Structures are given as C-alpha cells and as structure tokens.
Amino acid sequence: MKTAFLCDERVFWHAGGNYAFTLPAGDLVQPMAGGLPENPETKRRLRNLIEVTGLLRELDATGADPATTEDLRRVHPADYLARFKALSDAGGGELGPRAPFGRGGYEIAALSAGLGIEALARVLTGRARNAYALTRPPGHHCLPDRPNGFCLLANGAIAIEAARAHTPGLRVAVIDWDVHHGNGTEAIYAADPDVLTISLHQDRNYPTDTGHASVRGEGAGLGANLNIPLPPGTGHRGYLAAFERLVIPALTRFRPDAILVACGYDAAAVDPLGRMLATAETFAQLARRTLDAADHLCGGRVAMLHEGGYSEAYVPFCGHAVLAEMAGSAIAAPDPLAATLAARQPDARFDAMINAHLSDLEGFFGLR
Ligand code: ZN
C-alpha cells in the first residue's frame, strides 16, 4: 500500500490581503509584492520538488471533494460560515486577525478541509499506508467562530469530526509540531477526553498569550492537552529529546486509534516566523518516530495535514524528507543547508538547559 498524497491546484490560488510581511500595509508600511508570509510558493514548491525527484510517482497522488456544509457544521457555527461565505462572495476581506482571503476564499478553504478529511479517512479505512494532505489555508489556529493566524477553517478538527461521525468513540492523538501553538485545536478539544492534543511550539511566539504547560484541558478532557513550550533556539537535539521524553510516552499512555499530525515546518532554522534551529533531518526524525509509535499503538494509522512553514527555499526539502519517511522511499532530496545548519546547532550548555526543562515537564505531566 502507498502513501496517499492529497493535493489540489486550487489551494495555491488562495490569496491574502494588502500586507507587507505580517504588517498591514498603510501609514509608514510600504505594501510588499509578496504580501503575507503565507503565500502559495512554499507549498507549491514542495509539490514541485517531489515531482522533480520522482518521489511523487511512489505516492498515491490524488485529490478530494470539498468539505460539505455538514462537515463544517460539526466544528463551526452556522453564523460564522454564513459570514465567511458572504464576505468571500463579495470579494474577500478579513473576519479575524491575520486571516485575509480573496474572492472564492470560502470554497478554497472548504477544499483544503476536504483534503484533510480524505487523508484521515483513507488511513482509517485501510486505503493508504498513511496520508499527507497539502492543506492551504492551514487550520490549527482557527477557532470555531473566529479565524486566526492565516487559518480560516479548523482543518484538523473537521477531519477528526468527519471520522468520528462514521466511527463514534474513535480516539485520535494530534501531534502539532508547527512552531506556533495549536491554540484552535486545543480550544476545540479542551473538554474532550477522546482527542489528545499535543503542541510543541516556540514559547510565546504566536499566539503570545497561549500555549502554557499549565493549560492541560478541562472537565472530562483534563490531562488530554499537553503544551510543550520550547525556548527560542531549540534545535535538532532538543526537538528529538522532547519527542522521546514527552510526546511518545504521552501517546503510549493515551493509546490512540489514529494519529493526526499538524505538520508545520516553521521550526526550521531559516524560517522567518520562528526562532528555532530544526533542520530537514529533524522533521524526518520526528516523522520516523511518529510512524514507529503508530506502528506499535494503532496499526500505523498516521495522517499529516500541512500547516505553516514560510521559507520558500527550505520548506520543500523539509516536506520531502517527511514524505520519503512516510513512503519508506529511498528517493532523497539532499538538504542543501545541512552542513550550515549542523554548525549552527546549540551547544552543550543549551542542551543541559533544555534537558532540565524537559525533566520538569516530565514530572508535571506525570510521564516519569
Ligand atoms: Zn506556524
């Protein structure tokens, strides 16, 4: 069985507003041709790189239907969807901070969510070895009634709820390794004991006021949310240590039926929206460990939904490394920055600080 690769040309047509990087243009801020960092090129170039190396031919490359209104209504209230659709039809605009869209943005967002639904469905029904959805716009910051941080619909939650509509009682673990806190997914599942949400993120990057380790869920969901804030500068060894010491033990304790990864690449060392030092090999190793854990815990059922990652040059190499692990492929796209980024990794003093931080979290989460 192959790895399913869910993609659609139209997700690259989603367009944002008049921005200069993350700043709304105007006053002293000159408009910038590229606009927001969340532009199509990172993801389009990943799609292109896997074609150029031949990896695409080892995948089951396919598309999906857009999420239906019924799919969206499981997560989002009708009035939010109505406001989104009306503004999209009227030419686009913004319904929340840093989440602009153009005409037709509603339909593209529904298509992006549909790719995620199909990725998880293929994994759960045994039609794919595992699955990767090239979702755009991304989803992990979106709240039920408010878009946020480039995210217009909560793709991950929409996929999980579509799966649970077919299979009540399904237990899903979400691993969010995007450099930003998965605040939307956390909020949606705060009180739900059957969805474990784990977010590894740069401490107080975005949003600046969420993602604290002390936020662990509420009510019946208490303990089913793990925030792992990491200091700026965390690199390859720090990410792997956090995975080994916290993420894998938390997965093992939870015993999911499937794992959904909010797969962002903005923890990469050259990303403009993160201050971390991960490399393409870091993401390959995170993928490898996730796949191995899934083999032990849930029949290898892993679906990845693409989230952030804003280095147009480097995201394709990170994504290629992840997809090659998922497919068990020998086809590689050698990391052109490997030597440079190896030389920039934090020193032993930083490692000692990270390990002390992870020890504290192990105790706090009861994972020791
Ligand atoms: Zn991000």
Side-chain angles (χ1 to χ4, degrees), residues 354-365:
I354 283 281
N355 284 324
H357 174 57
L358 296 177
S359 289
D360 288 346
L361 291 177
E362 274 177 338
F364 185 63
F365 296 142

Side-chain angles (χ1 to χ4, degrees), residues 199-219:
S199 178
L200 302 115
H201 46 266
Q202 184 187 324
D203 191 16
R204 289 163 293 154
N205 176 320
Y206 188 89
T208 52
D209 58 350
T210 65
H212 306 299
S214 58
V215 179
R216 303 187 57 194
E218 60 195 43

Side-chain angles (χ1 to χ4, degrees), residues 8 37 83 101 117 198 234 255 293 329:
D8 191 297
R83 283 186 291 127
F101 53 89
I117 290 173
I198 305 173
T234 300
R255 304 204 67 78
S329 175

Side-chain angles (χ1 to χ4, degrees), residues 140-141 178-180 264 266 307-310:
H140 73 148
H141 292 307
D178 187 281
V179 81
H180 306 108
D266 36 17
E307 293 283 351
Y310 305 100

